[in-house]
Amino acid sequence: MISEFPLFVFTTLGGLAAGAYAVGACFPKAAEGAKRPWLFPLACLALLGVGLFGVLGHLGRPERFLLALANPSAMIAEEAYWSIAFGLLMLVDLALLLRKGASPRAVRLLGALAALGLMCVMGWAYFTSYGNPVWAAWPTLPLFVLGDLAMGAALYGLFARGAYRVSAFVATFVALAVLFAADLAFVAAHFAAFGYGTLPFAFALVAAPVGGTVLALLTWKGVLPERLGSALVFACLLVGTAVARYAFYAASIL
């Protein structure tokens, strides 16, 4: 197991929640008519919560988390601030949906902004790791942000029944997947220049953006039933993104 496994858990699960919430705020009509609309924010909140346990695991002792929060210049503190803001907004969204069956669009938009901030801070933390030149390169930022948005869109498609009948949603997913594929190719080339293997990134590229795009288009065209298609798309994006991120952390010298 890699030494930075707790951070891998945090950025993968927390990023998944953030990406899904950000995409969901852009396509609220895709989820109209859902029998239990509160399930989506509940799932995202649970993913973020489990991911934050990874931060505690990285710090070793829970009290170090409080010490980290007292240092605003520390990247882990900034990740915590954005996580707390994002989590609180999701909690408000969840409470309103449970109580009234509806939530103001403003709450979702604010949550999406906090989610975007969290994704950017996650990527920035490694982009500025100047002690590790394989991380401190421009492909690192989109590796996190685009990966989170792509797998987040796939997660949202699981909850928003009918999302794959919305052409704008499918087009957005395909665009994110294409950009993610391009960045994975750049990341692989960059890691290869430092002597690291590229097989995990090649697998991630085929499994996530390529496989996910094909399955999403088949679902959009009605070749695959939506329930099955959306589940397969999500599986491809989650597995591919996780493999790429695991390989990224395997280059850790922390």
Side-chain angles (χ1 to χ4, degrees), residues 38-245:
W38 48 267
L39 273 178
F40 175 66
L42 177 61
C44 290
L45 193 60
L47 286 168
L48 179 64
V50 174
L52 284 171
F53 277 107
V55 176
L56 295 179
H58 171 69
L59 292 173
R61 296 199 302 268
E63 64 269 19
R64 289 181 179 175
F65 184 72
L66 297 177
L67 294 175
L69 289 178
N71 182 12
S73 61
M75 292 306 303
I76 199 166
E78 294 184 21
E79 289 173 326
Y81 298 151
W82 283 102
S83 295
I84 291 170
F86 177 41
L88 288 175
L89 286 164
M90 284 196 294
L91 191 60
V92 171
D93 188 24
L94 174 62
L96 290 172
L97 287 170
L98 283 171
R99 184 171 181 177
K100 299 182 178 181
S103 179
R105 180 78 187 280
V107 173
R108 278 282 171 94
L109 290 175
L110 288 172
L113 289 175
L116 183 60
L118 176 59
M119 288 184 285
C120 290
V121 167
M122 283 178 176
W124 189 259
Y126 301 102
F127 172 68
T128 54
S129 295
Y130 300 118
N132 190 343
V134 77
W135 285 358
W138 71 263
T140 293
L141 282 172
L143 178 68
F144 281 83
V145 177
L146 290 175
D148 291 342
L149 288 172
M151 66 175 174
L155 177 62
Y156 184 65
L158 274 178
F159 286 90
R161 297 301 181 190
Y164 287 93
R165 292 193 292 271
V166 179
S167 297
F169 172 80
V170 176
T172 299
F173 174 81
V174 171
L176 289 170
V178 169
L179 292 172
F180 187 35
D183 185 66
L184 283 172
F186 282 118
V187 170
H190 178 66
F191 269 56
F194 284 85
Y196 290 95
T198 60
L199 185 59
F201 298 109
F203 171 83
L205 195 155
V206 173
V210 176
T213 296
V214 171
L215 291 168
L217 292 175
L218 290 175
T219 306
W220 175 51
K221 289 294 186 179
V223 177
L224 289 174
E226 186 178 11
R227 286 182 179 272
L228 174 62
S230 60
L232 291 175
V233 171
F234 175 65
C236 283
L237 266 295
L238 179 61
V239 171
T241 305
V243 168
R245 204 155 291 183

